[in-house]
Amino acid sequence: MKVGALLIFLCFFLQGFGYQPLNIFQARVVPTDSTEIWLKWARDSTTLSTSQKINLFDKAIDLTKKNNPDSLFEISFAALTTGDSILFKEISKEVIKLSKALGQKESHGLAHWDLADFYKKAKPDSAYYHLQEAYGIFSNMEELDASISHYPGAILLDIGNLKDAIKDYVGAEKDIIEAIDYFNKVETRDRLFVTYNSLGIAQNGLNKFDKALEYHQKAKSYIRYARSNRKYRYELMNENNIAFIYLRKGDFKKAYELYSALEQKDSLLLKNPELYAKVLSSRTFADFKSGAQDFEGFERAFKRSNEILDSIGDTYSKARNYEYHAQVLAGKHDTLGAIKKALIGKDIAEETTNNDRLLSSLKLLTTLDKKNSANYAKAYFNLTEDLQQKERAIQDKFARIRMETDEIIEENEALAKQKQLYSAISLILLVLGIGIFIIVSQRISNQKLKFKQKEQNSNQEIYNLMLSQHGKLEEGKKTEKKRISEELHDGILGQMLGIRLILSGLNERADEKAIEQRAELIQKLQELEEEVRTISHELNESAYEKVHEFMISIQELIQTVKKSTEADIELDYSKSYAWDILNGDTKINIYRIVQECLQNCIKHSKCKNIQVNFKSSEKMLNLTVADDGIGFDSTKEKKGIGLKNIISRVKKIDGSLKVNSIPNKGTKINIEFPVERVDLDNPKPHISRKTVQEV
């Protein structure tokens, strides 16, 4: 019992979500994640909110995008059938965006077409825009499958019917004729009935009754090409439209005959009760206008027609019944009854927004109700003006949309021609461009080489100027040292020698104590003499030693930097190497590199110690600047201007640069560059480098 109860519960549970209960003995697997399941759940469920349904549709879109993107239009149509306007608009926009991105033109066009169908009554201008978009998509497709080859003609027909609804009958006639031409071109005869039928309705709106009859007779000849399940409906539609034209034309006897024949159609009441009710009312009115006086029969017919319309919930069509009934009562000289029926018809027309019937009811009341005819005439005039303004506004919007669409088409065609022209011109210009590029590149290369040569010469001159100034300073130091040496030797040392001699003479005294003191003084003077001589010799030797100008410049740079930081800076270099043999271009760039490295260490690394090392070999020199600071991520592509300057200067001396930095462990910059010697007696070497190598 428990198992049976559980199975029953599961069946009801699944039915609540729109699923049929499964036979538990069937050996098959039910899919749990498919487009059909999400769409069925979203369509059939009555308990889900709009946002929940949108989530289900989004799941279906994602699956369709992955598995079958060319069927996205099915999702748009499924959203339309839910009757939820918010959901439909949201899903349609998403389908349009996705299908356009994926290049699914059929889904893209059908989504616009579905939106047009949704907007055609409430927002005809929006409907027209989406129809134009859909027509543009399908008419520009290179190939249309047989199943969708009729789409451009069908959309043109929809555009014509939309214009007919806003009483732009001339515009409707143009689009419908274009649709007929298209259907004839693609040999789609089964759609020519509805097209000629619409053309006849448009002619009826223009009051061209004979032309309208001609087109409806033409439409009748194409019923035989329609699908079998549509033929009966098309026959009824055709006969009713022809009868209505005779009614409007004023040929009431012919209208009565046609309506009577249509009323006698087999099972018309059962198969199409709405049409039967309209035919009954129209046949009665045509009979009255033909001169018949069967007022009791008229009363029964109008009552019966209204009862049928009430049974199917068609309030809209009842306005016409009451207007016809009012005219019959007026013909019977029952003015009060006629006014009463006309007012009911007017109220129904207002309630159902049946503006055509509202206008005709107001017009009828101006003749029936003499007391209030001025008010009805005013209402008729105001409504006419209001409707005409709205119709003109919508027609203007249609014209703007059409103009913008035509402009886009013309622009696309012009762009296509321009593209062909540009392709030919581009081919010619390409050949010319290659030649010009080679010539210009060669000139730029030559100019760049000249500029590099000038830059190197300038750097050499700058460094030589620095050497000259520094040499003058050192020459001054050397002169001063020599002067001091001479003063010590010739002045102080001579005087000291005299004192020693005098003191030696005093030793002849017999005083033992004096002799002891003098001996001590003589010993001290000898020591002082030796010390002064030693200092003099050291100063004189230092004055004539060769001065290493480049390393002195580096040392002075380090001393200057030390004054601005608490970090300890140490310099280590190969003292046996003659650094002044480097040419000026190399020295000025190395000097600037060391300067930039020290600045970077002080500004950014937060280090406590900095090591600057110069090492030499036979053909290559090596510079290393290392600190124990915070480091940085050297793998990042973005570089600061300081590092960019260093890279630029390394290139200028044909060197190679390696930067090794570890966060929180410091940074080490290693530069290796070739030796370019210079004659110290002639410090302006001939620059022979042709290019700067990239590293």
Side-chain angles (χ1 to χ4, degrees):
M1 290 295 294
K2 292 182 179 180
V3 175
L6 179 61
L7 289 175
I8 294 173
F9 171 76
L10 286 174
C11 289
F12 281 108
F13 178 78
L14 291 173
Q15 283 180 330
F17 284 94
Y19 293 108
Q20 295 298 324
L22 300 176
N23 187 337
I24 61 173
F25 299 106
Q26 289 179 333
R28 63 189 180 96
V29 178
V30 178
T32 59
D33 192 18
S34 69
T35 304
E36 291 79 9
I37 286 179
W38 302 127
L39 293 180
K40 181 176 176 61
W41 193 1
R43 283 197 309 263
D44 299 346
S45 177
T46 58
T47 59
L48 295 176
S49 65
T50 297
S51 61
Q52 290 172 326
K53 289 182 179 181
I54 288 175
N55 287 334
L56 293 175
F57 270 97
D58 286 339
K59 289 179 179 290
I61 288 173
D62 289 338
L63 282 174
T64 305
K65 178 182 175 182
K66 294 176 183 177
N67 302 328
N68 190 18
D70 58 350
S71 63
L72 281 167
F73 64 88
E74 295 179 359
I75 297 175
S76 174
F77 182 73
L80 180 63
T81 59
T82 62
D84 189 329
S85 59
I86 296 175
L87 180 145
F88 170 67
K89 287 188 286 186
E90 189 75 21
I91 298 303
S92 292
K93 290 177 181 177
E94 192 170 350
V95 170
I96 287 173
K97 182 179 179 181
L98 181 59
S99 58
K100 183 178 181 180
L102 295 175
Q104 298 295 334
K105 293 186 177 180
E106 183 177 353
S107 294
H108 188 196
L110 287 173
H112 276 295
W113 204 352
D114 288 340
L115 273 171
D117 190 62
F118 173 78
Y119 282 123
K120 65 183 179 183
K121 290 184 178 179
K123 291 184 176 181
D125 54 331
S126 296
Y128 184 74
Y129 166 77
H130 288 291
L131 284 173
Q132 287 289 341
E133 289 291 309
Y135 179 73
I137 292 168
F138 287 116
S139 61
N140 288 321
M141 288 177 66
E142 294 180 359
E143 292 185 7
L144 291 172
D145 294 337
S147 60
I148 64 171
S149 61
H150 64 282
Y151 280 3
I155 296 172
L156 284 171
L157 178 58
D158 280 356
I159 292 173
N161 289 334
L162 189 63
K163 289 183 178 179
D164 182 87
I166 63 166
K167 294 182 171 54
D168 180 10
Y169 301 119
V170 175
E173 180 183 26
K174 176 181 174 296
D175 290 315
I176 295 170
I177 290 174
E178 192 174 345
I180 290 172
D181 292 339
Y182 181 85
F183 286 139
N184 283 322
K185 184 178 68 175
V186 297
E187 298 182 352
T188 312
R189 293 181 177 180
D190 60 321
R191 298 185 178 272
L192 286 173
F193 166 77
V194 292
T195 316
Y196 277 108
N197 183 70
S198 295
L199 188 56
I201 293 172
Q203 296 301 314
N204 189 21
L206 291 169
N207 295 326
K208 297 179 179 181
F209 302 121
D210 293 337
K211 202 69 176 175
L213 288 172
E214 177 185 340
Y215 286 129
H216 281 301
Q217 291 295 338
K218 187 78 171 178
K220 185 177 182 179
S221 66
Y222 284 101
I223 294 178
R224 66 180 185 273
Y225 298 110
R227 297 178 184 178
S228 57
N229 60 341
R230 297 178 180 176
K231 289 181 179 180
Y232 178 73
R233 180 162 55 90
Y234 285 175
E235 289 173 358
L236 297 178
M237 186 188 304
N238 182 254
E239 292 178 18
N240 181 65
N241 287 338
I242 292 174
F244 181 66
I245 292 172
Y246 279 109
L247 186 66
R248 287 201 65 213
K249 187 180 179 181
D251 191 346
F252 299 113
K253 288 185 178 181
K254 183 65 175 179
Y256 173 75
E257 292 175 2
L258 293 173
Y259 278 125
S260 297
L262 186 56
E263 185 182 2
Q264 301 302 318
K265 283 281 186 180
D266 183 40
S267 304
L268 178 61
L269 177 60
L270 295 175
K271 294 180 180 179
N272 197 333
E274 180 185 3
L275 180 60
Y276 180 84
K278 292 179 180 179
V279 168
L280 180 59
S281 174
S282 298
R283 188 265 300 164
T284 302
F285 183 69
D287 192 19
F288 162 72
K289 296 296 268 184
S290 298
Q293 298 292 315
D294 184 10
F295 293 106
E296 292 183 2
F298 299 158
E299 287 283 344
R300 289 194 300 272
F302 285 128
K303 182 179 179 182
R304 176 60 175 154
S305 177
N306 287 332
E307 288 174 349
I308 295 171
L309 293 175
D310 286 335
S311 67
I312 60 176
D314 183 4
T315 307
Y316 185 90
S317 300
K318 289 175 65 177
R320 184 180 66 166
N321 283 3
Y322 280 101
E323 182 186 333
Y324 285 173
H325 197 171
Q327 292 188 52
V328 171
L329 290 176
K332 187 183 177 182
H333 305 294
D334 184 0
T335 305
L336 292 178
I339 294 172
K340 182 179 178 181
K341 295 296 182 183
L343 286 172
I344 295 174
K346 181 183 78 69
D347 292 341
I348 292 174
E350 287 179 339
E351 180 185 346
T352 58
T353 321
N354 189 344
N355 292 320
D356 289 338
R357 196 55 57 186
L358 178 58
L359 284 173
S360 59
S361 296
L362 288 171
K363 186 176 181 180
L364 178 61
L365 283 166
T366 58
T367 60
L368 294 176
D369 190 355
K370 301 296 183 181
K371 182 179 179 181
N372 298 306
S373 61
N375 293 332
Y376 293 132
K378 183 179 179 180
Y380 177 86
F381 174 78
N382 290 337
L383 180 59
T384 301
E385 284 292 313
D386 184 55
L387 291 176
Q388 287 178 349
Q389 288 180 2
K390 289 180 179 179
E391 288 164 4
R392 281 195 295 268
I394 294 174
Q395 289 174 12
D396 289 342
K397 288 182 179 180
F398 280 20
R400 285 197 298 272
I401 293 170
R402 179 71 186 194
M403 181 179 66
E404 291 171 0
T405 304
D406 291 341
E407 287 177 354
I408 292 172
I409 293 172
E410 289 176 1
E411 287 176 3
N412 290 335
E413 291 176 351
L415 287 173
K417 292 180 181 178
Q418 287 179 357
K419 187 177 180 181
Q420 293 176 355
L421 179 61
Y422 290 158
S423 298
I425 295 174
S426 299
L427 186 61
I428 297 172
L429 292 177
L430 180 62
V431 178
L432 294 175
I434 293 173
I436 294 172
F437 176 77
I438 293 172
I439 295 171
V440 172
S441 297
Q442 189 64 37
R443 288 183 179 179
I444 292 173
S445 179
N446 293 336
Q447 291 176 355
K448 186 176 181 182
L449 179 59
K450 291 178 181 178
F451 174 78
K452 290 293 181 182
Q453 291 174 343
K454 289 180 181 179
E455 183 181 23
Q456 290 169 355
N457 291 335
S458 298
N459 285 338
Q460 185 67 48
E461 290 175 3
I462 291 170
Y463 188 72
N464 289 336
L465 182 61
M466 288 177 59
L467 287 179
S468 175
Q469 294 298 324
H470 194 71
K472 290 179 181 179
L473 178 63
E474 291 301 322
E475 185 65 29
K477 288 181 180 179
K478 186 164 60 176
T479 302
E480 185 64 18
K481 287 179 182 180
K482 186 176 181 181
R483 185 187 66 78
I484 292 171
S485 175
E486 291 174 351
E487 288 292 330
L488 286 174
H489 187 274
D490 299 335
I492 296 174
L493 189 59
Q495 293 178 25
M496 293 294 289
L497 180 60
I499 292 171
R500 181 174 64 81
L501 294 174
I502 294 171
L503 288 175
S504 297
L506 292 177
N507 282 337
E508 297 176 357
R509 290 174 52 184
D511 186 348
E512 184 177 344
K513 186 176 180 179
I515 293 172
E516 183 179 350
Q517 289 177 348
R518 290 183 180 87
E520 291 177 357
L521 290 172
I522 291 170
Q523 180 64 34
K524 288 182 179 180
L525 286 173
Q526 287 177 337
E527 292 175 357
L528 182 58
E529 178 186 349
E530 184 63 30
E531 184 177 350
V532 170
R533 182 180 288 110
T534 301
I535 292 172
S536 177
H537 288 166
E538 287 177 354
L539 286 173
N540 195 43
E541 288 175 1
S542 176
Y544 289 95
E545 284 182 352
K546 174 173 172 52
V547 179
H548 298 285
E549 306 291 350
F550 177 68
M551 279 303 162
I552 290 174
S553 299
I554 297 296
Q555 288 171 347
E556 289 179 351
L557 171 63
I558 291 174
Q559 291 301 322
T560 302
V561 173
K562 274 186 175 181
K563 294 178 182 179
S564 63
T565 180
E566 297 179 357
D568 184 31
I569 307 174
E570 293 184 5
L571 171 65
D572 184 20
Y573 63 94
S574 299
K575 297 180 176 56
S576 61
Y577 187 79
W579 294 96
D580 283 322
I581 67 172
L582 300 176
N583 66 35
D585 186 47
T586 301
K587 284 186 279 192
I588 192 67
N589 280 298
I590 291 298
Y591 182 88
R592 295 302 185 196
I593 288 171
V594 174
Q595 187 179 39
E596 186 65 42
C597 288
L598 293 177
Q599 289 178 357
N600 286 343
C601 292
I602 293 168
K603 288 182 181 178
H604 307 299
S605 70
K606 300 180 182 179
C607 61
K608 295 182 179 179
N609 298 285
I610 303 173
Q611 294 284 339
V612 180
N613 295 319
F614 284 89
K615 293 182 181 180
S616 63
S617 63
E618 183 177 354
K619 294 184 178 180
M620 300 296 290
L621 298 177
N622 186 278
L623 165 64
T624 302
V625 181
D627 66 66
D628 58 356
I630 60 175
F632 62 93
D633 187 357
S634 60
T635 61
K636 289 185 177 179
E637 294 183 1
K638 187 176 181 181
K639 299 179 176 63
I641 189 170
L643 186 55
K644 289 180 179 179
N645 289 340
I646 292 172
I647 293 171
S648 175
R649 291 189 180 275
V650 170
K651 288 181 180 180
K652 290 178 181 179
I653 61 175
D654 292 339
S656 63
L657 171 68
K658 292 182 181 179
V659 179
N660 185 16
S661 183
I662 301 175
N664 300 319
K665 291 188 178 181
T667 302
K668 183 176 181 181
I669 295 177
N670 185 273
I671 300 167
E672 192 173 53
F673 55 95
V675 176
E676 290 195 22
R677 302 174 183 271
V678 65
D679 185 357
L680 291 176
D681 296 329
N682 182 20
K684 279 186 75 174
H686 174 70
I687 305 229
S688 60
R689 188 185 307 127
K690 293 183 179 180
T691 60
V692 177
Q693 295 180 356
E694 298 289 338
V695 295

